[in-house]
Amino acid sequence: MTHAKIRELQRHAWQQPQAYWSQAAAAIDWITPPKEVFQPQPFGLGQWFPGASLNTCYNAVDRHVEAGRGEQVAIHTVSAMTNSASAMTYLELQQQVARFAGGLVRLGVGKGDRVVIYMPMVTETAIAMLACARIGAIHSVVFGGFAASELASRIDDATPKLVVSASCGIEPSGVVPYKPLLDEALTLCQHKVANTILLQRPQYQGELQVGRDHLWQQVMADAEPVACVQVDANDPLYILYTSGTTGKPKGVVRDNGGHAVALAWSMKAVYNIEAGDVFWAASDVGWVVGHSYIIYGPLLVGATTLLYEGKPVTPDAGIFWRIIEEYQVNAFFTAPTAIRAIKRADSEGKGLAGVDLQCLKALYLAGERCDPDTLEWAQRQLKVPVIDHWWQTETGWPICANPLGIAPIEVKPGSPGLAVPGYMVEVLDELGQPLPVDTQGAIAIKLPLPPGTLTGLWNNPERLQSGYLSHYPGYYVTGDAGYFDDDGYLYVMGRVDDVLNVAGHRLSTGRFEEVLCSHTAVAEAAVIGVDDALKGQLPLGLVVLKQGQELDLDAVKAELIASVREQIGAVAAFKLVTVVEKLPKTRSGKILRGTMRKLASGQAVALPATIDDPQALELVHQALAKMGLVTSAQPWLAQPSSVSG
Ligand code: COA
Ligand code: AMP
């Protein structure tokens, strides 16, 4: 195995982007074919395929029907929660999408309007997204595990004309009614939404508000199918909110043209998937993995995708393997945390007994750092290449991978592989100088980013600059830290900012802190991520209480846990909270979260030279020991240094 071919393609994509990406663009059916490939923009991200036009829904659905794939299954929907499954062919998908798009038009939605989609993993979610693309409306899918106030803040930012939702989601713990959450969100938000469309599921009937809420079935019955409209390559296809360091989520904007080109290219290059193959990404449509590799990627290339409602270990740890066999899945994508959950429940792989996995060519893992143990366990059990690959909501498709469709490279556990051609990845020091191999620093990508990556942040050009572009002029900062080895393999070690990764879900410490501080008893709060064997990280809240109050500490903690669940959502998995007398800070008042994070992971820390009161750190250590997160006997103070945490 060699990576010379990848190196050559990296050079080609970097030195001749026009030739490189216009070749990739040939996989897309354009209405106005691109004349220009890339237009740079001073201090900005630039535009891919300016002046070209297309329709993403046409490329993902209609053209496959025209090419004779109408009878091929486009989407298998499998629910381990309701023990049911259904299949929809490309022809059926085209008919449903065209009709639902007609329903949206009838309710006043047009090109450029936003539509928020708050749905579980059902086929109708895919139909709603594709219907938006068909009429040039911009969808913004909000993950169903988020609470009403998170939904409300996204509605206020995206200002949609309409919201599409379902009556409920179904989790192992039972039915989760979505409609009351939607109603609450619509009351909480400033922006007024005139219409909603509700899919009633048999497990729970949502109450309809007359005049505002329309039944999915009725909308479909009343609608006329509509054709695909022409949109500019640079028109937004969707907004997807992700967590930054503050409590306010960032709306990542994706275009139509660059997105279609990059995703179609990545399906073959990274996942080795072509028309007629079956691809399964066991994620949720509310995350970028769901957008790119449950919906758009597989459908753009005419593959069959699988939409899964359920967990990796319910009803048992063999469920993934049985689904792969039953639907003849060729490539499977999940998060390392899901593999850890399976390994924990079935370390010997008994769930694989009697399952024929010959169809499966590779397992792909992303969403968080993949520890070598998990990767090696999966290799042993599945006996196929296990490919760790690294990317983020902002990039929309893999930055580093082992591109099996171009040339397989050696798998090095702990590394997501080489930079994918199109991305020029560097590891920089604080001054922006490239660091030597084996030296950890900030991972940055030299501009321009390839097609399919973010084109901006919705309503927030300043945050695009301050969050990504101004730190190292000429580069996009990923927010991750890591290093290269001698062979050019990248090792991604974690975030440099205050973003948490809980079971592959990206969450902001700032948002947790906002919620904790809104409790009447709390004076101050800090949230850090502590290591967890299953979920990678868990949030831990350290709170300082207002003085002079008679309080039942256990009751306060229970209230704090409940309010995070209520305001952020169950997915935050917030269960660890402790009271401290004061938070360790620098003399200028910056909370030393990094130092506390190290303490909580059992590392000895150097007293930051700028610390205001060293005793505060000692008190945090005692609190962590009381919670059993560290042992009290463990020495926690290393040699003094000038590190500021
Ligand atoms: N709607 C409503 N509630 C949801 C939800 C949704 N779409 N998704 C999760 N939740 C709830 C769960 O029911 C659970 O609630 P509980 O506290 O009442 O049990 C809580 O949010 C946490 O859910 P989850 O993160 O799924 O954790 P878990 O403990 O139930 O399961 C794993 C652990 C590892 C099995 C699970 O996190 C998993 O499968 N992770 C894969 C993650 C993934 O695909 N990430 C996407 C990036 S690729
Ligand atoms: P999200 O935008 O929610 O997909 O989260 C992206 C973040 O998850 C990245 O910036 C990384 O911090 C982390 N991440 C995703 N994939 C990997 C990986 N393969 N290895 C290490 N970290 C990863």
Side-chain angles (χ1 to χ4, degrees):
M1 279 184 243
T2 164
H3 54 262
K5 183 155 184 205
I6 316 278
R7 285 265 185 256
E8 185 195 313
L9 282 176
Q10 281 172 344
R11 258 194 310 276
H12 180 36
W14 190 249
Q15 289 165 359
Q16 292 166 293
Q18 307 279 340
Y20 190 84
W21 289 111
S22 54
Q23 199 180 345
I28 294 305
D29 283 2
W30 301 87
I31 299 171
T32 317
K35 288 200 185 75
E36 195 181 355
V37 171
F38 182 70
Q39 196 172 68
Q41 182 192 11
F43 310 109
L45 293 166
Q47 290 193 330
W48 286 94
F49 311 110
S53 69
L54 74 162
N55 183 282
T56 296
C57 177
Y58 175 79
N59 276 278
V61 183
D62 300 61
R63 68 166 171 164
H64 303 310
V65 178
E66 290 168 16
R69 294 194 171 275
E71 298 310 313
Q72 181 192 314
V73 173
I75 306 178
H76 284 295
T77 304
V78 182
S79 173
M81 297 293 102
T82 59
N83 201 15
S84 63
S86 62
M88 186 171 278
T89 64
Y90 270 103
L91 178 62
E92 289 163 340
L93 183 63
Q94 182 191 37
Q95 290 163 347
Q96 297 275 315
V97 170
R99 189 168 281 278
F100 191 69
L104 292 176
V105 172
R106 211 161 170 263
L107 288 169
V109 179
K111 198 168 172 175
D113 289 335
R114 273 79 58 211
V115 172
V116 162
I117 299 175
Y118 183 60
M119 302 273 281
M121 293 294 285
V122 290
T123 322
E124 286 81 355
T125 311
I127 293 173
M129 291 166 76
L130 292 161
C132 289
R134 192 170 191 87
I135 59 170
I138 304 166
H139 61 69
S140 185
V141 182
V142 178
F143 174 59
F146 278 131
S149 58
E150 291 292 313
L151 175 59
S153 67
R154 286 156 176 80
I155 290 176
D156 271 336
D157 197 66
T159 59
K161 262 234 167 106
L162 184 142
V163 178
V164 187
S165 190
S167 56
C168 64
I170 302 162
E171 287 290 302
S173 53
V175 171
V176 182
Y178 281 13
K179 183 60 173 41
L181 297 177
L182 171 63
D183 289 339
E184 192 188 336
L186 293 177
T187 314
L188 286 173
C189 61
Q190 308 283 315
H191 172 71
K192 288 297 150 228
V193 175
N195 293 296
T196 79
I197 299 176
L198 186 80
L199 176 79
Q200 295 282 27
R201 299 185 77 187
Q203 294 77 9
Y204 175 84
Q205 294 291 298
E207 228 173 86
L208 297 187
Q209 187 176 308
V210 180
R212 186 195 70 183
D213 300 338
H214 309 268
L215 270 185
W216 177 287
Q217 290 82 348
Q218 196 59 49
V219 170
M220 290 297 257
D222 294 344
E224 290 295 329
V226 295
C228 297
V229 305
Q230 175 169 352
V231 300
D232 286 347
N234 295 121
D235 282 342
L237 170 68
Y238 70 76
I239 305 166
L240 178 59
Y241 287 90
T242 188
S243 299
T245 50
T246 71
K248 191 173 154 35
K250 305 186 271 199
V252 167
V253 179
R254 197 89 59 210
D255 62 0
N256 274 276
H259 174 254
V261 171
L263 285 194
W265 184 83
S266 71
M267 284 311 296
K268 173 66 189 155
V270 177
Y271 302 103
N272 208 11
I273 287 291
E274 295 175 350
D277 290 341
V278 182
F279 188 76
W280 177 21
S283 178
D284 190 286
V285 278
W287 308 116
V288 70
V289 177
H291 282 61
S292 296
Y293 295 115
I294 296 176
I295 309 295
Y296 289 111
L299 298 181
L300 279 164
V301 298
T304 296
T305 188
L306 197 148
L307 208 103
Y308 174 67
E309 180 177 58
K311 304 278 158 173
V313 287
T314 313
D316 60 70
I319 182 74
F320 276 5
W321 319 136
R322 295 196 296 276
I323 292 176
I324 291 171
E325 180 189 39
E326 184 169 351
Y327 296 93
Q328 291 292 293
V329 172
N330 302 119
F332 176 50
F333 180 159
T334 189
T337 186
I339 300 296
R340 289 197 297 269
I342 296 172
K343 182 176 150 206
R344 190 159 85 165
D346 178 19
S347 63
E348 290 169 27
K350 290 190 179 131
L352 282 154
V355 181
D356 180 353
L357 290 188
Q358 276 186 68
C359 56
L360 186 69
K361 303 292 175 239
L363 165 68
Y364 291 84
L365 298 173
E368 54 172 330
R369 179 174 155 72
C370 182
D371 51 290
D373 274 0
T374 300
L375 187 122
E376 283 157 4
W377 183 85
Q379 280 174 332
R380 277 198 308 279
Q381 298 298 331
L382 300 176
K383 302 180 179 60
V384 295
V386 179
I387 309 298
D388 179 9
H389 61 324
W390 167 66
W391 50 297
Q392 44 185 206
T393 305
E394 291 84 342
T395 65
W397 62 284
I399 309 168
C400 279
N402 182 338
L404 293 189
I406 302 176
I409 53 168
E410 181 196 348
V411 169
K412 294 195 189 186
S415 166
L418 301 177
V420 173
Y423 288 99
M424 182 67 110
V425 180
E426 294 189 13
V427 171
L428 305 178
D429 69 12
E430 200 32 60
L431 298 173
Q433 294 306 310
L435 284 162
V437 295
D438 293 333
T439 311
Q440 186 159 316
I443 309 175
I445 306 171
K446 203 164 186 178
L447 296 176
L449 296 177
T453 51
L454 80 169
T455 56
L457 291 184
W458 186 255
N459 274 340
N460 214 335
E462 299 80 27
R463 201 167 176 194
L464 175 75
Q465 287 297 329
S466 62
Y468 299 101
L469 302 180
S470 63
H471 197 78
Y472 299 117
Y475 290 87
Y476 161 91
V477 287
T478 63
D480 285 321
Y483 61 89
F484 279 112
D485 73 6
D486 273 338
D487 293 327
Y489 280 64
L490 187 71
Y491 291 75
V492 182
M493 306 309 289
R495 298 287 303 188
V496 288
D497 52 18
D498 296 320
V499 166
L500 299 181
N501 194 318
V502 179
H505 309 318
R506 182 165 154 187
L507 301 164
S508 132
T509 54
R511 178 70 183 121
F512 281 95
E513 290 168 7
E514 265 177 25
V515 176
L516 297 182
C517 289
S518 65
H519 191 285
T520 50
V522 173
E524 251 193 316
V527 170
I528 57 169
V530 297
D531 298 343
D532 180 70
L534 175 65
K535 297 198 175 188
Q537 279 191 315
L538 281 178
L540 162 68
L542 300 120
V543 296
V544 179
L545 298 179
K546 289 176 187 157
Q547 288 184 346
Q549 307 179 93
E550 283 284 312
L551 292 167
D552 173 346
L553 287 191
D554 287 336
V556 171
K557 285 188 210 168
E559 283 162 21
L560 291 171
I561 290 170
S563 61
V564 169
R565 193 177 169 96
E566 198 187 299
Q567 292 187 54
I568 301 181
V571 74
F574 184 70
K575 298 195 170 98
L576 300 172
V577 60
T578 184
V579 174
V580 289
E581 223 168 90
K582 65 192 300 194
L583 292 172
K585 290 184 187 169
T586 61
R587 279 189 286 275
S588 60
K590 192 173 151 239
I591 298 173
L592 291 162
R593 290 190 191 78
T595 310
M596 287 195 283
R597 226 170 22 229
K598 280 191 195 147
L599 262 192
S601 67
Q603 296 176 47
V605 298
L607 255 198
T610 54
I611 194 165
D612 179 38
D613 177 2
Q615 207 213 346
L617 213 47
E618 165 87 60
L619 293 174
V620 167
H621 187 258
Q622 283 171 12
L624 295 172
K626 231 169 150 185
M627 297 178 84
L629 292 169
V630 296
T631 54
S632 50
Q634 188 177 318
W636 61 272
L637 192 59
Q639 291 304 307
S641 87
S642 59
V643 177
S644 65

